[in-house]
Amino acid sequence: MDNMHDDFLNHGNNPLLLIINDVVEELERAVDKFPEYPTDPLHALSILGEEYGELNKSVLQYTYEPQKTSKEEIRSEAIQTAAMAIRFLISLEDFDYKKSQQHKQEL
């Protein structure tokens, strides 16, 4: 198993390794730029949702209005989404899972 893992890590043209490297670099950039992260999991999830929304927009535009974006932009948004998913996962044990205050609405 270790040899297979070493072979994977040493194969510089492996597309998965290249993607993982890009995701880690994006994660490091995000943490450097925004070192603080929400303790509330719903706010943290909204950051991931925002990145997913940008990825969704890029894919839709490339499909229906290809002149407005590129596969490179789609890749960039996918990398950012993956990085934010990892950042969310890193904080699972640090989140404060508590119900927020709520109010009744009357129509």
Side-chain angles (χ1 to χ4, degrees), residues 3 8 11 27 31 33 35 38 41-43 57 70 72 79-80 87 89 103 105-106:
N3 289 338
F8 172 77
H11 189 63
L27 180 59
V31 171
K33 187 172 182 179
L42 294 174
H43 283 94
K57 179 183 175 185
S70 65
E72 292 79 18
I79 295 293
Q80 291 174 32
R87 193 166 190 189
L89 287 167
H103 64 279
Q105 292 180 323
E106 303 214 12

Side-chain angles (χ1 to χ4, degrees), residues 35-61:
E36 293 185 353
Y37 193 69
T39 302
D40 171 9
L42 294 174
H43 283 94
L45 188 59
S46 71
I47 295 169
L48 175 56
E50 188 267 337
E51 292 300 338
Y52 171 77
E54 290 180 5
L55 173 59
N56 194 23
K57 179 183 175 185
S58 288
V59 171
L60 283 168
Q61 281 186 329

